Amino acid sequence: MKSPLKADSLPLAIVVSTVMLLMVLGVLLLWEIDFLHFSQQNFIKQQQADIKSTFTFYSKYPSIIEENQDSAFVQLYDSIESSQMLVEREQWGLYELVSVSSANRKAHQTCIIGLDSAYADDVNFYYQENKSALTLAGKTNLNGRVSLPAKGIIYGQIKSIFFSGKKIENSKISVSKELPNATNDFQKYIDNLFSLQNVDEAVVGDSSIYADFYNNSIKYLSAQSNKTALYLLKGKIILTGDEITVSSDSKLNDIIVVANKININRNFEGSLQIFSRDTVIIEENVKMNYPSGVFSRKYIKIGDNAQINGYVIVDNPDKIDTRKANYIQSRLAKVRGLLYIRGAAQIQGIVSGKAYVSRSVFYSPQGYYNDMLYDTTILENSETAYPFWLGGSQKRKIIKWTK
């Protein structure tokens, strides 16, 4: 005979059953949340991988963005709708600023990009045909392929200092012509920089300003001329002025500076592109990190132990007068990347990359020596990306991911 169920046990059973049901529902909910989180994280990782793949694809095939266009959609996988990526580009100094984002723009990345090679005829040292031989003196070494005037090389001396470098193999020498010109697009870009007048605001004191590179317009700032200032600037910023002096304590990251005269104080370190209508002075122990650049229409001087990582360009429109230098590089200075001098240049120290020069002159207290390199080293460099100046290979190289 079955024992009767007590009436007071029924509510207890209901409570226990409800608690157990809630526990099961809680476990299922936690599993669902974990699954959604896992799926979301995987989706984000996949989109980040797709963005990196798109950058790689664009670097090899930049023609996916048609000429005179600034954006294009790229479908990585036909069967996956979410793999459609938007590629956008714009000029940033003599480099490209390229952004890749998902179609809904929730995932994105921006980087600074340069060219894989400096010029179609990718020699390491190009010296313009001047109907005279190039004289090498002191410890001068020209590595890689060189392009020289038809009269070739003289291994000479300055006073009692004879040539003591390594002679160049004949198989590595070709005959040069006129110095190649810059591409029209970037000449126009620089002209536009030099014509800037309207600015958003003036830089006051040591105020810190940041402008994100992604999906934002350029922030234009005006500098107080003829005053050494502490600048704390980062991102999509163009600083303009008449005469700008950057103090050693300034913090500059990836900005552009445009002025008539620009002076970078000794011991400064940062990354920036400089565009001067007249004069640039880079003092001792300055380190301009990759990707940086220095451009002037007239004159650049680089002091002892200074390092420029990116490019140095003097594009002098006037007739060359070898009695007056357009470029002076200290014998303790280093330039990594492209050196392009349309004018009279005293090149000493190290150039790691490509050098294109109109006239090489050595200036001494006793006078000047035309068509001479003294204590100059030109090294091969396959790691550096080059600026969009001479229009080299269309293949790109990623320089720096921006934040």
Side-chain angles (χ1 to χ4, degrees):
M1 182 177 181
K2 294 182 179 179
S3 57
L5 184 65
K6 294 182 180 180
D8 60 352
S9 64
L10 184 59
L12 178 61
I14 294 172
V15 169
V16 171
S17 299
T18 303
V19 170
M20 292 179 66
L21 181 61
L22 289 173
M23 290 177 64
V24 172
L25 289 174
V27 170
L28 291 174
L29 183 61
L30 287 174
W31 183 86
E32 183 71 19
I33 291 172
D34 185 64
F35 178 76
L36 288 173
H37 179 71
F38 175 77
S39 299
Q40 186 180 29
Q41 288 298 107
N42 273 355
F43 180 73
I44 292 173
K45 287 182 179 179
Q46 183 60 51
Q47 286 212 316
Q48 289 173 341
D50 288 345
I51 287 172
K52 293 265 176 89
S53 297
T54 306
F55 273 113
T56 302
F57 186 67
Y58 173 75
S59 296
K60 293 183 178 180
Y61 305 102
S63 58
I64 58 174
I65 300 181
E66 294 181 6
E67 192 174 352
N68 300 322
Q69 298 295 316
D70 55 12
S71 65
F73 281 99
V74 176
Q75 187 75 40
L76 294 180
Y77 315 106
D78 292 337
S79 59
I80 303 177
E81 186 177 347
S82 62
S83 70
Q84 187 182 63
M85 297 287 133
L86 174 63
V87 185
E88 300 170 285
R89 70 180 175 195
E90 62 181 297
Q91 294 180 8
W92 188 244
L94 296 186
Y95 298 113
E96 275 186 351
L97 196 62
V98 179
S99 296
V100 175
S101 59
S102 57
N104 59 13
R105 291 182 174 267
K106 289 185 177 180
H108 60 83
Q109 183 67 65
T110 302
C111 72
I112 299 173
I113 283 181
L115 284 175
D116 185 58
S117 62
Y119 187 52
D121 184 11
D122 200 18
V123 298
N124 222 46
F125 177 72
Y126 189 101
Y127 192 67
Q128 177 176 286
E129 172 62 76
N130 294 310
K131 297 182 180 179
S132 61
L134 176 65
T135 300
L136 307 185
K139 192 174 182 180
T140 294
N141 289 284
L142 305 181
N143 294 279
R145 293 178 56 237
V146 299
S147 192
L148 303 173
K151 291 188 177 180
I153 287 179
I154 296 173
Y155 298 103
Q157 67 184 92
I158 293 179
K159 292 189 174 181
S160 60
I161 303 174
F162 289 84
F163 172 78
S164 60
K166 184 180 179 181
K167 292 186 177 182
I168 304 170
E169 298 175 16
N170 290 333
S171 61
K172 293 184 177 181
I173 301 175
S174 60
V175 178
S176 64
K177 298 179 182 179
E178 290 291 321
L179 197 70
N181 292 316
T183 57
N184 290 332
D185 287 346
F186 280 86
Q187 286 181 328
K188 291 177 181 177
Y189 176 83
I190 292 173
D191 289 340
N192 290 335
L193 285 179
F194 287 155
S195 66
L196 286 174
Q197 293 180 346
N198 298 326
V199 297
D200 294 337
E201 61 183 274
V203 179
V204 180
D206 58 353
S207 57
S208 180
I209 301 175
Y210 170 67
D212 193 354
F213 276 112
Y214 178 70
N215 204 28
N216 285 307
S217 57
I218 298 169
K219 191 173 188 65
Y220 296 93
L221 302 176
S222 176
Q224 291 181 309
S225 294
N226 305 317
K227 290 185 179 181
T228 302
L230 172 64
Y231 297 108
L232 305 173
L233 307 174
K234 180 179 180 180
K236 204 171 186 178
I237 294 171
I238 295 182
L239 178 67
T240 66
D242 178 28
E243 295 186 21
I244 296 178
T245 300
V246 177
S247 72
S248 59
D249 295 324
S250 293
K251 304 296 181 184
L252 303 180
N253 288 284
D254 303 322
I255 74 163
I256 291 173
V257 178
V258 182
N260 289 323
K261 297 181 179 180
I262 301 170
N263 192 94
I264 309 296
N265 282 173
R266 66 183 63 192
N267 300 318
F268 166 83
E269 181 175 355
S271 57
L272 69 158
Q273 296 183 71
I274 291 171
F275 294 89
S276 166
R277 301 176 188 88
D278 192 278
T279 300
V280 178
I281 304 296
I282 308 294
E283 295 185 0
E284 296 85 354
N285 300 310
V286 167
K287 186 177 182 181
M288 292 177 62
N289 295 321
Y290 187 55
S292 290
V294 183
F295 175 95
S296 178
R297 291 282 190 214
K298 298 294 184 180
Y299 179 73
I300 295 174
K301 182 179 181 180
I302 301 178
D304 290 345
N305 298 307
Q307 295 183 34
I308 313 298
N309 296 286
Y311 62 85
V312 175
I313 297 172
V314 176
D315 191 24
N316 176 30
D318 301 327
K319 185 178 178 180
I320 298 173
D321 181 357
T322 57
R323 295 171 299 178
K324 182 180 179 182
N326 297 106
Y327 178 69
I328 298 287
Q329 179 177 325
S330 162
R331 57 193 300 273
L332 299 177
K334 296 179 181 178
V335 173
R336 294 186 179 92
L338 174 67
L339 176 68
Y340 178 97
I341 309 297
R342 184 178 293 280
Q346 178 173 293
I347 305 167
Q348 293 187 283
I350 295 173
V351 177
S352 177
K354 314 295 182 183
Y356 292 79
V357 183
S358 289
R359 297 296 299 271
S360 179
V361 185
F362 180 72
Y363 299 89
S364 73
Q366 293 75 34
Y368 59 94
Y369 299 80
N370 285 329
D371 302 300
M372 173 172 282
L373 287 174
Y374 171 60
D375 282 355
T376 308
T377 299
I378 311 291
L379 300 173
E380 294 181 279
N381 185 340
S382 61
E383 300 301 319
T384 299
Y386 293 92
F388 292 78
W389 182 246
L390 295 176
S393 164
Q394 289 304 302
K395 290 184 178 180
R396 270 60 164 169
K397 184 178 287 188
I398 294 173
I399 298 175
K400 180 178 183 179
W401 301 97
T402 65
K403 295 182 180 180

